[in-house]
Amino acid sequence: MKLSESASYDLAVQALDSFQIEVPSWGFANTGTRFGKFVQAAAASTIEEKFADAAEVNRLTGVTPTVALHVLWDLPNGVDDVAEVAQLERRFGIRAGSINPNLFQDQEYKFGSLCNPDSEIRRKAVSHVLDSIEIGKRLGSRDVSLWLADGSNYPGTQSMRKRIGWLEDALREAHDHLLPDQRLLIEYKPFEPAFYHTDIADWGMSSHLARQAGPRARVLVDTGHHYSAQNIEQIVAWLLHTGLLGGFHFNDRRYADDDLTLGSIDPYQIFRIFHELLSADTEGPPHEVAFMIDQSHNLKGKIEATVQTVVTAQELWLKAALVDRRQLAVLQQSCDLVAAEELFRGAFWTDVRPLAAAWRQHRGLPADPLAALRDGGYVERIGFERGSRHSTVTSYA
Ligand code: RM4
Ligand code: MN
Ligand code: MN
């Protein structure tokens, strides 16, 4: 399809021009479940390899200029590793994206990090967050994304209320160290690894903590971190309304935090979330919402899964952009239920792949990034180069 032939041309160009998504460094590394890990020859085991893989995804899709970093896995020496990361940024044309403190792997964090009853352990955790903020400053990266594994496994074994207070203190202190253009994103998750209570279990708790921490703290929604049947787009609507939505970790789920590829189980859900975001943008000032992928590719090829995810996200974004929101508002106002629903679903059912392909070609990108990845031989080459080396396995999931 030629772009000019399409009535949706302007809309599609505008929508795809405005869409970018961050890839996670850990999506390129070997991960698995607690029952086993199946290593892949092409998996990245160094920060350099992660940047190289992120650059390949960006070369094919053109919309992933940043890579999220996990401090413990990617900058094990903290700020001392910043120079190497900055050099990799220049070499690969990929910027460091969100900085993720790791508060869940040290032995001391057995009973919590920022919420640990031991004040010395809390101090250690806070100082890791402050280091992460410093890393973000030096790399010029805007967001520090905080996820805690803190919680408890058995009723009565911890004071949930005391832990709220410790958390508020820690987040206020962290917020005090932010530069004016830095943000603190607070992620929530109802369970795992703690199975009785989690210290930041839902968006209400994250919202409260963000407000307490200060004006540059926001809520981070990970689509996999919700109970079954929870209406995530309604949460998004509330967070947009209250000005507290900071970003997303996109993935898909069937049962819990499965970290499956975006749209693989329920693409309609992502479409509904995108519709809320696009409605808010057309009704008011643009919201600074960071789109990030948070997935664990245990069985699929890592780069292939990442490219597939980015392409799927673009397609769902484009579908949501095609919703005629002015007409929808009229139908909502008159409570014309079936017409409203058909208009909404009609956009979802539209095959936008030709439009997306035309947009890519227009920008000198491969029309079909997945096919281009297969034809390009990158995965075979790195599999050959990296496969002979002992592969490390990232311990999460
Ligand atoms: C958690 C959470 C965090 C991610 C870790 C690896 O479940 O989603 O965002 O950094 O996994
Ligand atoms: Mn996440
Ligand atoms: Mn998760």
Short mmCIF file of all heavy atoms in Angstrom, two decimals, residues 275-319:
data_model
loop_
_atom_site.label_atom_id
_atom_site.label_comp_id
_atom_site.label_asym_id
_atom_site.label_seq_id
_atom_site.Cartn_x
_atom_site.Cartn_y
_atom_site.Cartn_z
N HIS A 275 -6.01 3.23 24.13
CA HIS A 275 -7.14 4.14 23.89
C HIS A 275 -7.26 5.16 25.03
O HIS A 275 -7.45 6.35 24.78
CB HIS A 275 -8.44 3.35 23.74
CG HIS A 275 -9.67 4.19 23.86
ND1 HIS A 275 -10.03 5.14 22.92
CD2 HIS A 275 -10.61 4.27 24.85
CE1 HIS A 275 -11.14 5.74 23.31
NE2 HIS A 275 -11.51 5.24 24.48
N GLU A 276 -7.12 4.70 26.27
CA GLU A 276 -7.20 5.64 27.40
C GLU A 276 -6.10 6.69 27.30
O GLU A 276 -6.33 7.88 27.53
CB GLU A 276 -7.06 4.90 28.74
CG GLU A 276 -8.28 4.11 29.17
CD GLU A 276 -9.55 4.94 29.20
OE1 GLU A 276 -9.51 6.12 29.61
OE2 GLU A 276 -10.60 4.41 28.79
N LEU A 277 -4.89 6.25 26.97
CA LEU A 277 -3.77 7.18 26.88
C LEU A 277 -3.99 8.19 25.75
O LEU A 277 -3.75 9.39 25.91
CB LEU A 277 -2.47 6.41 26.63
CG LEU A 277 -1.97 5.61 27.82
CD1 LEU A 277 -0.99 4.54 27.38
CD2 LEU A 277 -1.33 6.53 28.85
N LEU A 278 -4.46 7.70 24.61
CA LEU A 278 -4.67 8.59 23.48
C LEU A 278 -5.85 9.54 23.74
O LEU A 278 -5.82 10.69 23.33
CB LEU A 278 -4.91 7.78 22.20
CG LEU A 278 -3.62 7.16 21.63
CD1 LEU A 278 -3.93 5.99 20.71
CD2 LEU A 278 -2.81 8.22 20.88
N SER A 279 -6.88 9.08 24.45
CA SER A 279 -8.00 9.98 24.78
C SER A 279 -7.51 11.10 25.66
O SER A 279 -7.89 12.25 25.47
CB SER A 279 -9.12 9.30 25.55
OG SER A 279 -9.29 8.00 25.22
N ALA A 280 -6.68 10.75 26.63
CA ALA A 280 -6.19 11.79 27.55
C ALA A 280 -5.36 12.80 26.78
O ALA A 280 -5.42 14.00 27.05
CB ALA A 280 -5.35 11.15 28.65
N ASP A 281 -4.57 12.33 25.81
CA ASP A 281 -3.74 13.24 25.04
C ASP A 281 -4.56 14.17 24.16
O ASP A 281 -4.20 15.32 23.96
CB ASP A 281 -2.73 12.46 24.19
CG ASP A 281 -1.44 12.22 24.96
OD1 ASP A 281 -1.37 12.67 26.12
OD2 ASP A 281 -0.54 11.58 24.42
N THR A 282 -5.67 13.65 23.60
CA THR A 282 -6.44 14.53 22.72
C THR A 282 -7.31 15.49 23.53
O THR A 282 -7.73 16.51 23.03
CB THR A 282 -7.33 13.72 21.75
OG1 THR A 282 -7.97 12.70 22.50
CG2 THR A 282 -6.54 13.11 20.62
N GLU A 283 -7.54 15.15 24.79
CA GLU A 283 -8.39 16.02 25.61
C GLU A 283 -7.61 17.07 26.38
O GLU A 283 -8.16 18.02 26.89
CB GLU A 283 -9.19 15.18 26.62
CG GLU A 283 -10.36 14.48 25.99
CD GLU A 283 -10.84 13.30 26.82
OE1 GLU A 283 -10.49 13.25 28.02
OE2 GLU A 283 -11.54 12.45 26.27
N GLY A 284 -6.31 16.90 26.50
CA GLY A 284 -5.55 17.85 27.31
C GLY A 284 -4.09 17.84 26.95
O GLY A 284 -3.72 17.33 25.89
N PRO A 285 -3.23 18.40 27.81
CA PRO A 285 -1.80 18.44 27.51
C PRO A 285 -1.21 17.03 27.50
O PRO A 285 -1.70 16.15 28.19
CB PRO A 285 -1.22 19.25 28.68
CG PRO A 285 -2.25 19.20 29.75
CD PRO A 285 -3.57 18.98 29.10
N PRO A 286 -0.18 16.81 26.67
CA PRO A 286 0.39 15.46 26.58
C PRO A 286 0.93 14.98 27.92
O PRO A 286 1.47 15.77 28.69
CB PRO A 286 1.51 15.61 25.56
CG PRO A 286 1.61 17.03 25.21
CD PRO A 286 0.52 17.79 25.88
N HIS A 287 0.75 13.73 28.19
CA HIS A 287 1.23 13.17 29.44
C HIS A 287 2.59 12.53 29.21
O HIS A 287 2.81 11.89 28.19
CB HIS A 287 0.25 12.12 29.97
CG HIS A 287 -1.05 12.71 30.37
ND1 HIS A 287 -1.32 13.11 31.64
CD2 HIS A 287 -2.14 13.01 29.64
CE1 HIS A 287 -2.54 13.61 31.68
NE2 HIS A 287 -3.06 13.57 30.49
N GLU A 288 3.48 12.71 30.16
CA GLU A 288 4.82 12.14 30.04
C GLU A 288 4.80 10.70 30.54
O GLU A 288 5.15 10.43 31.69
CB GLU A 288 5.80 12.95 30.90
CG GLU A 288 5.97 14.36 30.44
CD GLU A 288 7.17 14.51 29.53
OE1 GLU A 288 8.17 13.81 29.75
OE2 GLU A 288 7.10 15.33 28.60
N VAL A 289 4.36 9.81 29.69
CA VAL A 289 4.25 8.42 30.11
C VAL A 289 5.30 7.59 29.36
O VAL A 289 5.29 7.53 28.13
CB VAL A 289 2.84 7.87 29.82
CG1 VAL A 289 2.73 6.43 30.29
CG2 VAL A 289 1.78 8.73 30.49
N ALA A 290 6.21 6.98 30.13
CA ALA A 290 7.29 6.20 29.51
C ALA A 290 6.79 4.80 29.18
O ALA A 290 6.23 4.12 30.04
CB ALA A 290 8.47 6.12 30.48
N PHE A 291 7.01 4.37 27.94
CA PHE A 291 6.65 3.01 27.53
C PHE A 291 7.90 2.14 27.58
O PHE A 291 8.88 2.42 26.92
CB PHE A 291 6.12 3.00 26.10
CG PHE A 291 4.76 3.62 25.93
CD1 PHE A 291 4.24 3.83 24.67
CD2 PHE A 291 4.01 3.98 27.03
CE1 PHE A 291 2.99 4.40 24.50
CE2 PHE A 291 2.75 4.55 26.88
CZ PHE A 291 2.24 4.77 25.60
N MET A 292 7.82 1.10 28.38
CA MET A 292 8.95 0.19 28.50
C MET A 292 8.43 -1.24 28.38
O MET A 292 7.29 -1.53 28.74
CB MET A 292 9.63 0.36 29.86
CG MET A 292 10.14 1.77 30.10
SD MET A 292 10.70 1.99 31.79
CE MET A 292 9.33 2.85 32.51
N ILE A 293 9.31 -2.11 27.90
CA ILE A 293 8.98 -3.54 27.85
C ILE A 293 9.62 -4.18 29.08
O ILE A 293 10.75 -3.85 29.42
CB ILE A 293 9.54 -4.18 26.56
CG1 ILE A 293 8.88 -3.54 25.33
CG2 ILE A 293 9.34 -5.69 26.57
CD1 ILE A 293 9.58 -3.92 24.02
N ASP A 294 8.89 -5.06 29.76
CA ASP A 294 9.50 -5.83 30.85
C ASP A 294 9.11 -7.29 30.64
O ASP A 294 8.06 -7.73 31.09
CB ASP A 294 9.01 -5.31 32.22
CG ASP A 294 9.73 -6.01 33.37
OD1 ASP A 294 10.65 -6.80 33.10
OD2 ASP A 294 9.37 -5.75 34.53
N GLN A 295 9.95 -8.00 29.90
CA GLN A 295 9.62 -9.38 29.55
C GLN A 295 10.81 -10.29 29.79
O GLN A 295 11.96 -9.86 29.79
CB GLN A 295 9.21 -9.45 28.08
CG GLN A 295 7.94 -8.71 27.78
CD GLN A 295 7.54 -8.68 26.32
OE1 GLN A 295 6.45 -8.22 26.01
NE2 GLN A 295 8.40 -9.14 25.43
N SER A 296 10.49 -11.56 29.95
CA SER A 296 11.51 -12.57 30.13
C SER A 296 11.30 -13.59 29.01
O SER A 296 10.27 -14.27 28.98
CB SER A 296 11.27 -13.19 31.51
OG SER A 296 12.03 -14.33 31.67
N HIS A 297 12.24 -13.62 28.08
CA HIS A 297 12.05 -14.52 26.93
C HIS A 297 12.76 -15.84 27.21
O HIS A 297 13.92 -16.01 26.87
CB HIS A 297 12.59 -13.85 25.67
CG HIS A 297 12.06 -12.46 25.48
ND1 HIS A 297 12.86 -11.34 25.35
CD2 HIS A 297 10.79 -12.01 25.45
CE1 HIS A 297 12.10 -10.28 25.21
NE2 HIS A 297 10.85 -10.64 25.28
N ASN A 298 12.04 -16.74 27.84
CA ASN A 298 12.67 -17.99 28.28
C ASN A 298 12.76 -19.03 27.18
O ASN A 298 13.68 -19.84 27.17
CB ASN A 298 11.89 -18.58 29.46
CG ASN A 298 11.89 -17.64 30.65
OD1 ASN A 298 12.77 -16.78 30.76
ND2 ASN A 298 10.90 -17.76 31.52
N LEU A 299 11.79 -19.02 26.27
CA LEU A 299 11.77 -20.04 25.21
C LEU A 299 11.95 -19.45 23.82
O LEU A 299 12.62 -20.04 22.98
CB LEU A 299 10.46 -20.85 25.29
CG LEU A 299 10.19 -21.52 26.64
CD1 LEU A 299 8.84 -22.22 26.64
CD2 LEU A 299 11.28 -22.54 26.98
N LYS A 300 11.33 -18.30 23.59
CA LYS A 300 11.49 -17.65 22.27
C LYS A 300 12.92 -17.10 22.14
O LYS A 300 13.53 -16.72 23.15
CB LYS A 300 10.54 -16.47 22.15
CG LYS A 300 9.08 -16.83 21.93
CD LYS A 300 8.24 -15.55 21.86
CE LYS A 300 6.80 -15.84 21.51
NZ LYS A 300 5.95 -14.63 21.57
N GLY A 301 13.39 -16.99 20.93
CA GLY A 301 14.66 -16.29 20.69
C GLY A 301 14.52 -14.87 21.20
O GLY A 301 13.50 -14.22 20.98
N LYS A 302 15.53 -14.38 21.89
CA LYS A 302 15.37 -13.11 22.63
C LYS A 302 15.19 -11.90 21.72
O LYS A 302 14.33 -11.05 21.96
CB LYS A 302 16.55 -12.92 23.57
CG LYS A 302 16.45 -13.88 24.75
CD LYS A 302 17.75 -14.30 25.32
CE LYS A 302 17.70 -15.62 26.05
NZ LYS A 302 16.57 -15.85 26.95
N ILE A 303 15.99 -11.83 20.68
CA ILE A 303 15.91 -10.65 19.81
C ILE A 303 14.64 -10.74 18.96
O ILE A 303 13.92 -9.76 18.77
CB ILE A 303 17.17 -10.54 18.95
CG1 ILE A 303 18.37 -10.35 19.90
CG2 ILE A 303 17.09 -9.38 17.97
CD1 ILE A 303 19.70 -10.46 19.25
N GLU A 304 14.36 -11.95 18.52
CA GLU A 304 13.13 -12.16 17.74
C GLU A 304 11.90 -11.78 18.58
O GLU A 304 10.99 -11.08 18.11
CB GLU A 304 13.06 -13.63 17.33
CG GLU A 304 12.14 -13.87 16.17
CD GLU A 304 12.16 -15.33 15.73
OE1 GLU A 304 12.54 -16.20 16.52
OE2 GLU A 304 11.77 -15.59 14.58
N ALA A 305 11.88 -12.22 19.84
CA ALA A 305 10.74 -11.90 20.72
C ALA A 305 10.64 -10.39 20.95
O ALA A 305 9.54 -9.83 21.01
CB ALA A 305 10.90 -12.61 22.05
N THR A 306 11.79 -9.73 21.05
CA THR A 306 11.77 -8.28 21.29
C THR A 306 11.24 -7.55 20.06
O THR A 306 10.39 -6.65 20.18
CB THR A 306 13.18 -7.77 21.66
OG1 THR A 306 13.70 -8.59 22.71
CG2 THR A 306 13.14 -6.34 22.13
N VAL A 307 11.70 -7.95 18.88
CA VAL A 307 11.21 -7.31 17.65
C VAL A 307 9.71 -7.57 17.49
O VAL A 307 8.93 -6.66 17.18
CB VAL A 307 12.00 -7.82 16.42
CG1 VAL A 307 11.36 -7.33 15.12
CG2 VAL A 307 13.46 -7.35 16.49
N GLN A 308 9.30 -8.80 17.75
CA GLN A 308 7.88 -9.14 17.66
C GLN A 308 7.05 -8.26 18.61
O GLN A 308 5.97 -7.77 18.26
CB GLN A 308 7.69 -10.62 18.03
CG GLN A 308 6.28 -11.12 17.86
CD GLN A 308 6.10 -12.53 18.46
OE1 GLN A 308 6.74 -12.88 19.45
NE2 GLN A 308 5.24 -13.32 17.84
N THR A 309 7.58 -8.04 19.79
CA THR A 309 6.88 -7.22 20.79
C THR A 309 6.74 -5.78 20.30
O THR A 309 5.67 -5.17 20.42
CB THR A 309 7.68 -7.24 22.11
OG1 THR A 309 7.74 -8.58 22.57
CG2 THR A 309 7.02 -6.36 23.17
N VAL A 310 7.84 -5.23 19.78
CA VAL A 310 7.81 -3.83 19.35
C VAL A 310 6.81 -3.66 18.20
O VAL A 310 6.00 -2.72 18.19
CB VAL A 310 9.23 -3.37 18.92
CG1 VAL A 310 9.19 -1.98 18.31
CG2 VAL A 310 10.19 -3.43 20.10
N VAL A 311 6.83 -4.59 17.25
CA VAL A 311 5.93 -4.51 16.11
C VAL A 311 4.47 -4.64 16.58
O VAL A 311 3.59 -3.89 16.15
CB VAL A 311 6.29 -5.62 15.08
CG1 VAL A 311 5.21 -5.78 14.03
CG2 VAL A 311 7.64 -5.29 14.43
N THR A 312 4.23 -5.55 17.50
CA THR A 312 2.87 -5.73 18.03
C THR A 312 2.40 -4.46 18.75
O THR A 312 1.26 -4.02 18.60
CB THR A 312 2.82 -6.92 19.01
OG1 THR A 312 3.36 -8.06 18.37
CG2 THR A 312 1.41 -7.22 19.46
N ALA A 313 3.30 -3.88 19.53
CA ALA A 313 2.95 -2.66 20.26
C ALA A 313 2.59 -1.54 19.27
O ALA A 313 1.59 -0.83 19.45
CB ALA A 313 4.11 -2.22 21.15
N GLN A 314 3.37 -1.41 18.20
CA GLN A 314 3.08 -0.38 17.20
C GLN A 314 1.72 -0.61 16.56
O GLN A 314 0.95 0.32 16.36
CB GLN A 314 4.13 -0.41 16.08
CG GLN A 314 5.44 0.27 16.43
CD GLN A 314 6.38 0.21 15.23
OE1 GLN A 314 6.63 -0.86 14.70
NE2 GLN A 314 6.87 1.36 14.82
N GLU A 315 1.44 -1.86 16.24
CA GLU A 315 0.16 -2.17 15.58
C GLU A 315 -1.02 -1.85 16.50
O GLU A 315 -2.02 -1.28 16.07
CB GLU A 315 0.12 -3.65 15.19
CG GLU A 315 1.03 -3.97 14.02
CD GLU A 315 1.28 -5.46 13.80
OE1 GLU A 315 0.69 -6.28 14.54
OE2 GLU A 315 2.09 -5.78 12.92
N LEU A 316 -0.88 -2.18 17.78
CA LEU A 316 -1.98 -1.93 18.71
C LEU A 316 -2.13 -0.43 18.97
O LEU A 316 -3.25 0.08 19.13
CB LEU A 316 -1.76 -2.70 20.02
CG LEU A 316 -1.91 -4.22 19.83
CD1 LEU A 316 -1.37 -4.97 21.04
CD2 LEU A 316 -3.38 -4.59 19.59
N TRP A 317 -1.02 0.27 18.98
CA TRP A 317 -1.05 1.74 19.15
C TRP A 317 -1.77 2.36 17.95
O TRP A 317 -2.60 3.26 18.09
CB TRP A 317 0.39 2.24 19.26
CG TRP A 317 0.55 3.71 19.42
CD1 TRP A 317 0.98 4.61 18.48
CD2 TRP A 317 0.32 4.49 20.61
NE1 TRP A 317 1.03 5.88 19.01
CE2 TRP A 317 0.63 5.83 20.31
CE3 TRP A 317 -0.12 4.17 21.90
CZ2 TRP A 317 0.52 6.86 21.25
CZ3 TRP A 317 -0.24 5.20 22.85
CH2 TRP A 317 0.08 6.52 22.51
N LEU A 318 -1.43 1.87 16.77
CA LEU A 318 -2.05 2.39 15.54
C LEU A 318 -3.55 2.10 15.52
O LEU A 318 -4.36 2.95 15.17
CB LEU A 318 -1.33 1.73 14.35
CG LEU A 318 -1.62 2.25 12.94
CD1 LEU A 318 -1.63 3.77 12.88
CD2 LEU A 318 -0.55 1.71 11.99
N LYS A 319 -3.93 0.90 15.92
CA LYS A 319 -5.36 0.56 15.99
C LYS A 319 -6.08 1.53 16.93
O LYS A 319 -7.16 2.05 16.62
CB LYS A 319 -5.56 -0.87 16.53
CG LYS A 319 -5.27 -1.99 15.52
CD LYS A 319 -5.26 -3.33 16.28
CE LYS A 319 -4.78 -4.48 15.44
NZ LYS A 319 -5.85 -5.08 14.61
#
